[in-house]
Amino acid sequence: MSESNSTWTELARRELKDRPLESICTQTPEGISIKPLYTIEDSPAAAAEAIPGVAPFARGVRATMYTGRPWTIRQYAGFSTAEASNAFYRKNLAAGQKGLSVAFDLATHRGYDSDHERVVGDVGKAGVAIDTVEDMKILFDGIPLDKMSVSMTMNGAVLPILAMFIVAGEEQGYDQSLLSGTVQNDVLKEFMVRNTYIYPPEPSMRIVADIIDYTSREMPRFNSISISGYHMQEAGANLAQELAYTLADGMEYVRAAQSKGLDIDAFAGRLSFFFCIGMDFFMEVAKLRAARMLWSRIMTDLGAQKESSKLLRTHCQTSGVSLTEQDPYNNVVRTAYEALAAVLGGTQSLHTNSFDEAIALPTEASARIARNTQLILQHETGVTRTVDPLGGSYYVESLTSELMETAWAMIQEIEEHGGMTKALLDGLPKRRIEEAATARQARVDNGDDVIVGVNQYRLENEVPIDVHRVDNAEVRRQQIERLKRVRRERDEAICAKSLADLTQIAKSQSGNLLAAAVDAARNRATLGEISDALESEFGRHQAKTEVVSGIYQKQSETSPEFLHVKKRVEDFKTSHGRAPHLLVAKMGQDGHDRGAKVIASSFGDIGFKIGMSDLFLTPEEVADLCIKDGVDVVGVSSLAGGHQTLIPQLINLLADKGRADIKVVCGGVIPEQDYEALRDAGVAEIFGPGTSVIDAANAVLGQILGERRNR
């Protein structure tokens, strides 16, 4: 120990008096021990030699970084119809936004046209509905696609969406070689966390490779894939998991492209990444630095020769899961801190969430605050004056090194499974993330992790805020009318032939699927028809539903509140001869299952008998499952706005089938303004974001016992 460290240790012990020095040491969820003091001895020797723009790029991918050009301001948005989203985009671009990031509704993500019977509650709710080239042309009306960079978050239905974007550009008068932007095209994380997949993993990977192949030849300005860790952190992954599994996905995609005969240096420059930025400020900064260094190492090992092939370019988005329904104006502050972490970590572009997104779609006013958060960072804080302001920080450099080591060990575990596709089939990363999510919920419920306004410093009375509403029924009606018009006016024979050609290419394992999808889109095949043409050969993937156990109990075994509700459940078992029975259900095309899985896992640890439905069920299917399993309560998880349509349907179906006694409760992103209508429809309990699992378990048990409580 150096003399300076010895001096500090003595001073610290005097200040702490009776407390041991270890009492001010902490550990992160990633297992990294945080010391109260960092000195030059903790900083890796290589940190002093690091130069921005030089491999392994710890200090940034460009020599001048923001001093030469600031990051690109993007806002991820899309809702309702193409007309409504287009108007929103044009206002934001006029107000300083520099690039477009398109959010599609869940029907589109899952490859269904708006008139499909399975998407009644989903059309236009969590993004914009796109069924045809005509929709895509309206979406970008008045926006020059040869000049505007467009990012599209699309994975499952990536072929028809990218094909329609290409055709929309052509019909604006721009050759596809002039189009710039990014398509997410990251299907592996869909099987891990997000669940907006369509086809099984193997044919999905073929689609990814064909898009990389096509764009590398025909669209030199377009990024063919955005490898996403964002949804992993949103699903509960710790930062080391997000980092490791994202880079492991990237390795799998590179190998898939190489298997098509592509030279790594021919396509590596069009790969990009997408990370979530949460509230652990310095860890997030270190994560982006570690990601660049690890990717440089990985690409070198995979055979890249050009320095530009080893760059990790990334877009970042502030965390959605850190946003709270309670005291929501706190979210403005959270987003600002997260945005600063992304910038100090060296992102190339950034989206800042609106403060009301834990409740509903953002309003125009909340979106303006989110956008201005970035403008203030760029123009008022001075963060663009120098490259990598935190470079050389003993703490940040040490965190970067430790995160690299932790993530690298996880990557090697994936490699030992034979790569990410095989690891996903074994369920390894999904299980690890679900364990981390359940442990995090227990820490919040027990007060170990403080969330201001939620588990501490909570307001006595919440003030309702205005929310953005979408008339799902009206949007669907408009989309169906447009679908009918397109089908009526197209040449049916030519359209049918292009769809048959697409199926044949899928079957033959030769030809390029994107090229065939572009032909089908030119002939006005719809998104659902293109998806069906592929599904006829590839099939539609059905995930196996599993729930982890023991994690919540381990974190909560000394909590008096946990022990109390567990005793109540034990008393129920004694008096009734069975456990209270809860089915956790997902309806519609909402694949977000973090909340549902956490509830199922934690309620199971408390002692409930738990059933967990498959994803993407209709109200009819859920009602039948409730009756077949003989449940006491069905809990519906809703995060995409479908609750207004689907939950009343479920309640009516249970009544029609003679089981009105089965209680229906719901939770998720549900605006308080919707509570009255849901209760009028017969919903017994509503649990908004931030609800303690213990409180929810007591309330659900009370419903089964027929107890009344004040809301």
Side-chain angles (χ1 to χ4, degrees), residues 437-438 440-442 444-446 552 556 561-562 565 595 597-606 608 687-688 690-700:
T438 305
R440 161 69 171 169
Q441 182 64 48
V444 172
D445 288 348
N446 297 330
Y552 193 91
S556 307
E561 292 82 6
F562 175 79
V565 71
K597 290 287 186 68
V598 166
I599 288 295
S601 176
S602 55
F603 271 54
D605 285 357
I606 288 167
F608 281 76
F687 306 112
T691 301
S692 160
V693 165
I694 304 300
D695 291 344
N698 274 312
V700 169

PDB file of all heavy atoms in Angstrom, residues 437-438 440-442 444-446 552 556 561-562 565 595 597-606 608 687-688 690-700:
ATOM      1  N   ALA A 437     -33.520  -9.783 -12.924  1.00  0.00           N
ATOM      2  CA  ALA A 437     -34.706  -8.924 -12.816  1.00  0.00           C
ATOM      3  C   ALA A 437     -35.464  -9.187 -11.527  1.00  0.00           C
ATOM      4  O   ALA A 437     -35.917  -8.249 -10.850  1.00  0.00           O
ATOM      5  CB  ALA A 437     -35.618  -9.159 -14.018  1.00  0.00           C
ATOM      6  N   THR A 438     -35.603 -10.455 -11.158  1.00  0.00           N
ATOM      7  CA  THR A 438     -36.328 -10.804  -9.936  1.00  0.00           C
ATOM      8  C   THR A 438     -35.563 -10.323  -8.705  1.00  0.00           C
ATOM      9  O   THR A 438     -36.162  -9.810  -7.738  1.00  0.00           O
ATOM     10  CB  THR A 438     -36.552 -12.322  -9.872  1.00  0.00           C
ATOM     11  OG1 THR A 438     -37.222 -12.747 -11.062  1.00  0.00           O
ATOM     12  CG2 THR A 438     -37.410 -12.700  -8.678  1.00  0.00           C
ATOM     13  N   ARG A 440     -33.552  -7.761  -8.579  1.00  0.00           N
ATOM     14  CA  ARG A 440     -33.691  -6.300  -8.557  1.00  0.00           C
ATOM     15  C   ARG A 440     -35.031  -5.892  -7.948  1.00  0.00           C
ATOM     16  O   ARG A 440     -35.107  -4.989  -7.127  1.00  0.00           O
ATOM     17  CB  ARG A 440     -33.558  -5.765  -9.987  1.00  0.00           C
ATOM     18  CG  ARG A 440     -34.096  -4.374 -10.244  1.00  0.00           C
ATOM     19  CD  ARG A 440     -33.301  -3.277  -9.589  1.00  0.00           C
ATOM     20  NE  ARG A 440     -33.756  -1.965 -10.049  1.00  0.00           N
ATOM     21  CZ  ARG A 440     -33.399  -0.822  -9.506  1.00  0.00           C
ATOM     22  NH1 ARG A 440     -32.583  -0.792  -8.476  1.00  0.00           N
ATOM     23  NH2 ARG A 440     -33.857   0.320  -9.991  1.00  0.00           N
ATOM     24  N   GLN A 441     -36.121  -6.587  -8.344  1.00  0.00           N
ATOM     25  CA  GLN A 441     -37.437  -6.252  -7.791  1.00  0.00           C
ATOM     26  C   GLN A 441     -37.460  -6.452  -6.286  1.00  0.00           C
ATOM     27  O   GLN A 441     -38.029  -5.636  -5.550  1.00  0.00           O
ATOM     28  CB  GLN A 441     -38.506  -7.125  -8.443  1.00  0.00           C
ATOM     29  CG  GLN A 441     -39.928  -6.820  -7.980  1.00  0.00           C
ATOM     30  CD  GLN A 441     -40.387  -5.429  -8.365  1.00  0.00           C
ATOM     31  OE1 GLN A 441     -40.224  -5.024  -9.514  1.00  0.00           O
ATOM     32  NE2 GLN A 441     -40.928  -4.684  -7.415  1.00  0.00           N
ATOM     33  N   ALA A 442     -36.830  -7.519  -5.812  1.00  0.00           N
ATOM     34  CA  ALA A 442     -36.786  -7.766  -4.368  1.00  0.00           C
ATOM     35  C   ALA A 442     -36.011  -6.667  -3.648  1.00  0.00           C
ATOM     36  O   ALA A 442     -36.413  -6.222  -2.560  1.00  0.00           O
ATOM     37  CB  ALA A 442     -36.158  -9.131  -4.095  1.00  0.00           C
ATOM     38  N   VAL A 444     -35.732  -3.559  -4.538  1.00  0.00           N
ATOM     39  CA  VAL A 444     -36.586  -2.364  -4.511  1.00  0.00           C
ATOM     40  C   VAL A 444     -37.681  -2.524  -3.459  1.00  0.00           C
ATOM     41  O   VAL A 444     -37.952  -1.624  -2.663  1.00  0.00           O
ATOM     42  CB  VAL A 444     -37.184  -2.091  -5.904  1.00  0.00           C
ATOM     43  CG1 VAL A 444     -38.232  -0.977  -5.834  1.00  0.00           C
ATOM     44  CG2 VAL A 444     -36.085  -1.712  -6.890  1.00  0.00           C
ATOM     45  N   ASP A 445     -38.347  -3.689  -3.463  1.00  0.00           N
ATOM     46  CA  ASP A 445     -39.429  -3.921  -2.507  1.00  0.00           C
ATOM     47  C   ASP A 445     -38.938  -3.853  -1.064  1.00  0.00           C
ATOM     48  O   ASP A 445     -39.655  -3.382  -0.172  1.00  0.00           O
ATOM     49  CB  ASP A 445     -40.068  -5.291  -2.753  1.00  0.00           C
ATOM     50  CG  ASP A 445     -40.903  -5.330  -4.025  1.00  0.00           C
ATOM     51  OD1 ASP A 445     -41.167  -4.246  -4.593  1.00  0.00           O
ATOM     52  OD2 ASP A 445     -41.292  -6.430  -4.446  1.00  0.00           O
ATOM     53  N   ASN A 446     -37.705  -4.308  -0.839  1.00  0.00           N
ATOM     54  CA  ASN A 446     -37.146  -4.308   0.517  1.00  0.00           C
ATOM     55  C   ASN A 446     -36.503  -2.984   0.895  1.00  0.00           C
ATOM     56  O   ASN A 446     -36.058  -2.820   2.032  1.00  0.00           O
ATOM     57  CB  ASN A 446     -36.107  -5.431   0.657  1.00  0.00           C
ATOM     58  CG  ASN A 446     -36.713  -6.801   0.471  1.00  0.00           C
ATOM     59  OD1 ASN A 446     -37.887  -7.017   0.770  1.00  0.00           O
ATOM     60  ND2 ASN A 446     -35.927  -7.740  -0.035  1.00  0.00           N
ATOM     61  N   TYR A 552     -36.429 -14.400  -5.469  1.00  0.00           N
ATOM     62  CA  TYR A 552     -37.106 -13.372  -4.666  1.00  0.00           C
ATOM     63  C   TYR A 552     -37.042 -13.739  -3.184  1.00  0.00           C
ATOM     64  O   TYR A 552     -36.764 -12.891  -2.332  1.00  0.00           O
ATOM     65  CB  TYR A 552     -38.557 -13.218  -5.117  1.00  0.00           C
ATOM     66  CG  TYR A 552     -39.235 -11.981  -4.565  1.00  0.00           C
ATOM     67  CD1 TYR A 552     -39.212 -10.778  -5.265  1.00  0.00           C
ATOM     68  CD2 TYR A 552     -39.874 -12.005  -3.337  1.00  0.00           C
ATOM     69  CE1 TYR A 552     -39.814  -9.633  -4.765  1.00  0.00           C
ATOM     70  CE2 TYR A 552     -40.478 -10.873  -2.814  1.00  0.00           C
ATOM     71  CZ  TYR A 552     -40.450  -9.685  -3.532  1.00  0.00           C
ATOM     72  OH  TYR A 552     -41.041  -8.556  -3.008  1.00  0.00           O
ATOM     73  N   SER A 556     -35.350 -11.749   0.129  1.00  0.00           N
ATOM     74  CA  SER A 556     -36.364 -11.176   1.027  1.00  0.00           C
ATOM     75  C   SER A 556     -36.586 -11.971   2.297  1.00  0.00           C
ATOM     76  O   SER A 556     -37.488 -11.646   3.080  1.00  0.00           O
ATOM     77  CB  SER A 556     -37.702 -11.063   0.283  1.00  0.00           C
ATOM     78  OG  SER A 556     -37.567 -10.378  -0.932  1.00  0.00           O
ATOM     79  N   GLU A 561     -42.305  -7.898   6.036  1.00  0.00           N
ATOM     80  CA  GLU A 561     -43.456  -7.841   5.136  1.00  0.00           C
ATOM     81  C   GLU A 561     -43.555  -9.125   4.301  1.00  0.00           C
ATOM     82  O   GLU A 561     -44.656  -9.659   4.094  1.00  0.00           O
ATOM     83  CB  GLU A 561     -43.355  -6.622   4.212  1.00  0.00           C
ATOM     84  CG  GLU A 561     -43.508  -5.286   4.919  1.00  0.00           C
ATOM     85  CD  GLU A 561     -42.216  -4.817   5.587  1.00  0.00           C
ATOM     86  OE1 GLU A 561     -41.154  -5.495   5.393  1.00  0.00           O
ATOM     87  OE2 GLU A 561     -42.255  -3.795   6.295  1.00  0.00           O
ATOM     88  N   PHE A 562     -42.416  -9.612   3.817  1.00  0.00           N
ATOM     89  CA  PHE A 562     -42.405 -10.856   3.050  1.00  0.00           C
ATOM     90  C   PHE A 562     -42.868 -12.030   3.917  1.00  0.00           C
ATOM     91  O   PHE A 562     -43.703 -12.841   3.491  1.00  0.00           O
ATOM     92  CB  PHE A 562     -41.001 -11.124   2.509  1.00  0.00           C
ATOM     93  CG  PHE A 562     -40.847 -12.447   1.813  1.00  0.00           C
ATOM     94  CD1 PHE A 562     -41.280 -12.614   0.508  1.00  0.00           C
ATOM     95  CD2 PHE A 562     -40.273 -13.530   2.463  1.00  0.00           C
ATOM     96  CE1 PHE A 562     -41.146 -13.838  -0.143  1.00  0.00           C
ATOM     97  CE2 PHE A 562     -40.139 -14.765   1.819  1.00  0.00           C
ATOM     98  CZ  PHE A 562     -40.576 -14.909   0.516  1.00  0.00           C
ATOM     99  N   VAL A 565     -46.796 -11.920   4.519  1.00  0.00           N
ATOM    100  CA  VAL A 565     -47.670 -12.371   3.437  1.00  0.00           C
ATOM    101  C   VAL A 565     -47.477 -13.863   3.177  1.00  0.00           C
ATOM    102  O   VAL A 565     -48.435 -14.583   2.840  1.00  0.00           O
ATOM    103  CB  VAL A 565     -47.458 -11.538   2.151  1.00  0.00           C
ATOM    104  CG1 VAL A 565     -46.119 -11.838   1.496  1.00  0.00           C
ATOM    105  CG2 VAL A 565     -48.598 -11.783   1.155  1.00  0.00           C
ATOM    106  N   GLY A 595     -42.308  -7.871 -16.349  1.00  0.00           N
ATOM    107  CA  GLY A 595     -43.212  -7.734 -15.220  1.00  0.00           C
ATOM    108  C   GLY A 595     -43.977  -9.009 -14.943  1.00  0.00           C
ATOM    109  O   GLY A 595     -44.125  -9.425 -13.781  1.00  0.00           O
ATOM    110  N   LYS A 597     -43.115 -12.107 -15.695  1.00  0.00           N
ATOM    111  CA  LYS A 597     -42.220 -13.132 -15.170  1.00  0.00           C
ATOM    112  C   LYS A 597     -41.843 -12.846 -13.713  1.00  0.00           C
ATOM    113  O   LYS A 597     -41.766 -13.767 -12.882  1.00  0.00           O
ATOM    114  CB  LYS A 597     -40.959 -13.211 -16.039  1.00  0.00           C
ATOM    115  CG  LYS A 597     -41.168 -13.796 -17.432  1.00  0.00           C
ATOM    116  CD  LYS A 597     -41.396 -15.294 -17.367  1.00  0.00           C
ATOM    117  CE  LYS A 597     -41.454 -15.932 -18.746  1.00  0.00           C
ATOM    118  NZ  LYS A 597     -40.169 -15.918 -19.446  1.00  0.00           N
ATOM    119  N   VAL A 598     -41.600 -11.577 -13.379  1.00  0.00           N
ATOM    120  CA  VAL A 598     -41.247 -11.225 -11.995  1.00  0.00           C
ATOM    121  C   VAL A 598     -42.405 -11.541 -11.056  1.00  0.00           C
ATOM    122  O   VAL A 598     -42.209 -12.091  -9.962  1.00  0.00           O
ATOM    123  CB  VAL A 598     -40.839  -9.744 -11.904  1.00  0.00           C
ATOM    124  CG1 VAL A 598     -40.802  -9.270 -10.448  1.00  0.00           C
ATOM    125  CG2 VAL A 598     -39.468  -9.523 -12.547  1.00  0.00           C
ATOM    126  N   ILE A 599     -43.626 -11.208 -11.465  1.00  0.00           N
ATOM    127  CA  ILE A 599     -44.795 -11.498 -10.638  1.00  0.00           C
ATOM    128  C   ILE A 599     -44.954 -13.006 -10.459  1.00  0.00           C
ATOM    129  O   ILE A 599     -45.167 -13.514  -9.343  1.00  0.00           O
ATOM    130  CB  ILE A 599     -46.070 -10.883 -11.245  1.00  0.00           C
ATOM    131  CG1 ILE A 599     -46.058  -9.361 -11.078  1.00  0.00           C
ATOM    132  CG2 ILE A 599     -47.322 -11.475 -10.605  1.00  0.00           C
ATOM    133  CD1 ILE A 599     -46.117  -8.879  -9.638  1.00  0.00           C
ATOM    134  N   ALA A 600     -44.874 -13.748 -11.554  1.00  0.00           N
ATOM    135  CA  ALA A 600     -45.026 -15.200 -11.462  1.00  0.00           C
ATOM    136  C   ALA A 600     -43.969 -15.809 -10.547  1.00  0.00           C
ATOM    137  O   ALA A 600     -44.270 -16.653  -9.688  1.00  0.00           O
ATOM    138  CB  ALA A 600     -44.948 -15.821 -12.854  1.00  0.00           C
ATOM    139  N   SER A 601     -42.727 -15.373 -10.703  1.00  0.00           N
ATOM    140  CA  SER A 601     -41.635 -15.916  -9.900  1.00  0.00           C
ATOM    141  C   SER A 601     -41.780 -15.557  -8.423  1.00  0.00           C
ATOM    142  O   SER A 601     -41.671 -16.418  -7.541  1.00  0.00           O
ATOM    143  CB  SER A 601     -40.298 -15.394 -10.440  1.00  0.00           C
ATOM    144  OG  SER A 601     -39.229 -15.824  -9.645  1.00  0.00           O
ATOM    145  N   SER A 602     -42.039 -14.285  -8.144  1.00  0.00           N
ATOM    146  CA  SER A 602     -42.111 -13.840  -6.743  1.00  0.00           C
ATOM    147  C   SER A 602     -43.350 -14.378  -6.041  1.00  0.00           C
ATOM    148  O   SER A 602     -43.276 -14.804  -4.878  1.00  0.00           O
ATOM    149  CB  SER A 602     -42.077 -12.311  -6.681  1.00  0.00           C
ATOM    150  OG  SER A 602     -43.087 -11.741  -7.475  1.00  0.00           O
ATOM    151  N   PHE A 603     -44.502 -14.396  -6.718  1.00  0.00           N
ATOM    152  CA  PHE A 603     -45.710 -14.970  -6.117  1.00  0.00           C
ATOM    153  C   PHE A 603     -45.503 -16.464  -5.848  1.00  0.00           C
ATOM    154  O   PHE A 603     -46.011 -17.003  -4.857  1.00  0.00           O
ATOM    155  CB  PHE A 603     -46.926 -14.760  -7.025  1.00  0.00           C
ATOM    156  CG  PHE A 603     -47.664 -13.468  -6.790  1.00  0.00           C
ATOM    157  CD1 PHE A 603     -47.004 -12.246  -6.815  1.00  0.00           C
ATOM    158  CD2 PHE A 603     -49.026 -13.463  -6.553  1.00  0.00           C
ATOM    159  CE1 PHE A 603     -47.684 -11.055  -6.613  1.00  0.00           C
ATOM    160  CE2 PHE A 603     -49.726 -12.282  -6.353  1.00  0.00           C
ATOM    161  CZ  PHE A 603     -49.047 -11.071  -6.379  1.00  0.00           C
ATOM    162  N   GLY A 604     -44.785 -17.138  -6.729  1.00  0.00           N
ATOM    163  CA  GLY A 604     -44.474 -18.544  -6.484  1.00  0.00           C
ATOM    164  C   GLY A 604     -43.639 -18.720  -5.225  1.00  0.00           C
ATOM    165  O   GLY A 604     -43.873 -19.641  -4.432  1.00  0.00           O
ATOM    166  N   ASP A 605     -42.655 -17.842  -5.030  1.00  0.00           N
ATOM    167  CA  ASP A 605     -41.834 -17.910  -3.815  1.00  0.00           C
ATOM    168  C   ASP A 605     -42.662 -17.606  -2.571  1.00  0.00           C
ATOM    169  O   ASP A 605     -42.365 -18.119  -1.473  1.00  0.00           O
ATOM    170  CB  ASP A 605     -40.663 -16.928  -3.918  1.00  0.00           C
ATOM    171  CG  ASP A 605     -39.570 -17.417  -4.852  1.00  0.00           C
ATOM    172  OD1 ASP A 605     -39.693 -18.540  -5.378  1.00  0.00           O
ATOM    173  OD2 ASP A 605     -38.584 -16.675  -5.057  1.00  0.00           O
ATOM    174  N   ILE A 606     -43.680 -16.776  -2.701  1.00  0.00           N
ATOM    175  CA  ILE A 606     -44.541 -16.450  -1.563  1.00  0.00           C
ATOM    176  C   ILE A 606     -45.441 -17.635  -1.205  1.00  0.00           C
ATOM    177  O   ILE A 606     -45.863 -17.770  -0.050  1.00  0.00           O
ATOM    178  CB  ILE A 606     -45.376 -15.188  -1.878  1.00  0.00           C
ATOM    179  CG1 ILE A 606     -44.460 -13.950  -1.869  1.00  0.00           C
ATOM    180  CG2 ILE A 606     -46.526 -14.996  -0.904  1.00  0.00           C
ATOM    181  CD1 ILE A 606     -45.093 -12.705  -2.458  1.00  0.00           C
ATOM    182  N   PHE A 608     -48.006 -18.966  -3.653  1.00  0.00           N
ATOM    183  CA  PHE A 608     -49.122 -19.135  -4.575  1.00  0.00           C
ATOM    184  C   PHE A 608     -48.842 -20.292  -5.535  1.00  0.00           C
ATOM    185  O   PHE A 608     -47.684 -20.569  -5.888  1.00  0.00           O
ATOM    186  CB  PHE A 608     -49.327 -17.867  -5.411  1.00  0.00           C
ATOM    187  CG  PHE A 608     -50.037 -16.751  -4.711  1.00  0.00           C
ATOM    188  CD1 PHE A 608     -49.388 -15.972  -3.762  1.00  0.00           C
ATOM    189  CD2 PHE A 608     -51.364 -16.457  -5.003  1.00  0.00           C
ATOM    190  CE1 PHE A 608     -50.038 -14.925  -3.120  1.00  0.00           C
ATOM    191  CE2 PHE A 608     -52.022 -15.424  -4.378  1.00  0.00           C
ATOM    192  CZ  PHE A 608     -51.364 -14.654  -3.425  1.00  0.00           C
ATOM    193  N   PHE A 687     -52.595  -2.609 -10.637  1.00  0.00           N
ATOM    194  CA  PHE A 687     -51.269  -2.389 -10.067  1.00  0.00           C
ATOM    195  C   PHE A 687     -50.408  -1.643 -11.085  1.00  0.00           C
ATOM    196  O   PHE A 687     -50.003  -2.205 -12.104  1.00  0.00           O
ATOM    197  CB  PHE A 687     -50.610  -3.716  -9.696  1.00  0.00           C
ATOM    198  CG  PHE A 687     -51.449  -4.576  -8.794  1.00  0.00           C
ATOM    199  CD1 PHE A 687     -51.982  -5.776  -9.245  1.00  0.00           C
ATOM    200  CD2 PHE A 687     -51.736  -4.173  -7.497  1.00  0.00           C
ATOM    201  CE1 PHE A 687     -52.762  -6.571  -8.422  1.00  0.00           C
ATOM    202  CE2 PHE A 687     -52.520  -4.966  -6.656  1.00  0.00           C
ATOM    203  CZ  PHE A 687     -53.041  -6.161  -7.123  1.00  0.00           C
ATOM    204  N   GLY A 688     -50.148  -0.375 -10.818  1.00  0.00           N
ATOM    205  CA  GLY A 688     -49.339   0.427 -11.725  1.00  0.00           C
ATOM    206  C   GLY A 688     -47.855   0.157 -11.559  1.00  0.00           C
ATOM    207  O   GLY A 688     -47.434  -0.587 -10.661  1.00  0.00           O
ATOM    208  N   GLY A 690     -44.157   0.311 -10.347  1.00  0.00           N
ATOM    209  CA  GLY A 690     -43.634   0.654  -9.029  1.00  0.00           C
ATOM    210  C   GLY A 690     -44.357  -0.004  -7.877  1.00  0.00           C
ATOM    211  O   GLY A 690     -43.945   0.133  -6.724  1.00  0.00           O
ATOM    212  N   THR A 691     -45.441  -0.740  -8.154  1.00  0.00           N
ATOM    213  CA  THR A 691     -46.156  -1.433  -7.088  1.00  0.00           C
ATOM    214  C   THR A 691     -45.257  -2.484  -6.456  1.00  0.00           C
ATOM    215  O   THR A 691     -44.610  -3.266  -7.149  1.00  0.00           O
ATOM    216  CB  THR A 691     -47.426  -2.114  -7.631  1.00  0.00           C
ATOM    217  OG1 THR A 691     -48.275  -1.140  -8.213  1.00  0.00           O
ATOM    218  CG2 THR A 691     -48.177  -2.836  -6.519  1.00  0.00           C
ATOM    219  N   SER A 692     -45.222  -2.531  -5.133  1.00  0.00           N
ATOM    220  CA  SER A 692     -44.469  -3.562  -4.429  1.00  0.00           C
ATOM    221  C   SER A 692     -45.119  -4.923  -4.652  1.00  0.00           C
ATOM    222  O   SER A 692     -46.352  -5.058  -4.608  1.00  0.00           O
ATOM    223  CB  SER A 692     -44.443  -3.240  -2.930  1.00  0.00           C
ATOM    224  OG  SER A 692     -44.146  -4.379  -2.157  1.00  0.00           O
ATOM    225  N   VAL A 693     -44.310  -5.940  -4.880  1.00  0.00           N
ATOM    226  CA  VAL A 693     -44.828  -7.300  -5.030  1.00  0.00           C
ATOM    227  C   VAL A 693     -45.578  -7.723  -3.769  1.00  0.00           C
ATOM    228  O   VAL A 693     -46.625  -8.383  -3.840  1.00  0.00           O
ATOM    229  CB  VAL A 693     -43.678  -8.281  -5.337  1.00  0.00           C
ATOM    230  CG1 VAL A 693     -44.126  -9.725  -5.122  1.00  0.00           C
ATOM    231  CG2 VAL A 693     -43.186  -8.085  -6.763  1.00  0.00           C
ATOM    232  N   ILE A 694     -45.065  -7.326  -2.608  1.00  0.00           N
ATOM    233  CA  ILE A 694     -45.711  -7.698  -1.339  1.00  0.00           C
ATOM    234  C   ILE A 694     -47.109  -7.095  -1.263  1.00  0.00           C
ATOM    235  O   ILE A 694     -48.076  -7.776  -0.900  1.00  0.00           O
ATOM    236  CB  ILE A 694     -44.871  -7.222  -0.141  1.00  0.00           C
ATOM    237  CG1 ILE A 694     -43.441  -7.783  -0.217  1.00  0.00           C
ATOM    238  CG2 ILE A 694     -45.534  -7.602   1.171  1.00  0.00           C
ATOM    239  CD1 ILE A 694     -43.357  -9.277  -0.218  1.00  0.00           C
ATOM    240  N   ASP A 695     -47.231  -5.805  -1.637  1.00  0.00           N
ATOM    241  CA  ASP A 695     -48.549  -5.163  -1.637  1.00  0.00           C
ATOM    242  C   ASP A 695     -49.490  -5.857  -2.613  1.00  0.00           C
ATOM    243  O   ASP A 695     -50.674  -6.080  -2.324  1.00  0.00           O
ATOM    244  CB  ASP A 695     -48.416  -3.687  -2.007  1.00  0.00           C
ATOM    245  CG  ASP A 695     -47.733  -2.868  -0.928  1.00  0.00           C
ATOM    246  OD1 ASP A 695     -47.621  -3.355   0.226  1.00  0.00           O
ATOM    247  OD2 ASP A 695     -47.291  -1.742  -1.234  1.00  0.00           O
ATOM    248  N   ALA A 696     -48.967  -6.204  -3.800  1.00  0.00           N
ATOM    249  CA  ALA A 696     -49.800  -6.873  -4.793  1.00  0.00           C
ATOM    250  C   ALA A 696     -50.246  -8.245  -4.302  1.00  0.00           C
ATOM    251  O   ALA A 696     -51.414  -8.632  -4.481  1.00  0.00           O
ATOM    252  CB  ALA A 696     -49.029  -7.001  -6.107  1.00  0.00           C
ATOM    253  N   ALA A 697     -49.337  -8.985  -3.663  1.00  0.00           N
ATOM    254  CA  ALA A 697     -49.688 -10.324  -3.172  1.00  0.00           C
ATOM    255  C   ALA A 697     -50.765 -10.244  -2.091  1.00  0.00           C
ATOM    256  O   ALA A 697     -51.713 -11.047  -2.074  1.00  0.00           O
ATOM    257  CB  ALA A 697     -48.445 -11.022  -2.635  1.00  0.00           C
ATOM    258  N   ASN A 698     -50.643  -9.283  -1.177  1.00  0.00           N
ATOM    259  CA  ASN A 698     -51.668  -9.107  -0.144  1.00  0.00           C
ATOM    260  C   ASN A 698     -53.022  -8.756  -0.766  1.00  0.00           C
ATOM    261  O   ASN A 698     -54.066  -9.262  -0.342  1.00  0.00           O
ATOM    262  CB  ASN A 698     -51.235  -8.015   0.833  1.00  0.00           C
ATOM    263  CG  ASN A 698     -50.353  -8.536   1.950  1.00  0.00           C
ATOM    264  OD1 ASN A 698     -50.678  -9.541   2.583  1.00  0.00           O
ATOM    265  ND2 ASN A 698     -49.231  -7.865   2.190  1.00  0.00           N
ATOM    266  N   ALA A 699     -53.003  -7.883  -1.775  1.00  0.00           N
ATOM    267  CA  ALA A 699     -54.255  -7.471  -2.416  1.00  0.00           C
ATOM    268  C   ALA A 699     -54.910  -8.625  -3.169  1.00  0.00           C
ATOM    269  O   ALA A 699     -56.130  -8.825  -3.094  1.00  0.00           O
ATOM    270  CB  ALA A 699     -53.999  -6.303  -3.362  1.00  0.00           C
ATOM    271  N   VAL A 700     -54.101  -9.412  -3.900  1.00  0.00           N
ATOM    272  CA  VAL A 700     -54.650 -10.545  -4.652  1.00  0.00           C
ATOM    273  C   VAL A 700     -55.220 -11.591  -3.692  1.00  0.00           C
ATOM    274  O   VAL A 700     -56.320 -12.129  -3.902  1.00  0.00           O
ATOM    275  CB  VAL A 700     -53.575 -11.162  -5.565  1.00  0.00           C
ATOM    276  CG1 VAL A 700     -54.052 -12.496  -6.143  1.00  0.00           C
ATOM    277  CG2 VAL A 700     -53.223 -10.199  -6.693  1.00  0.00           C
TER     278      VAL A 700
END
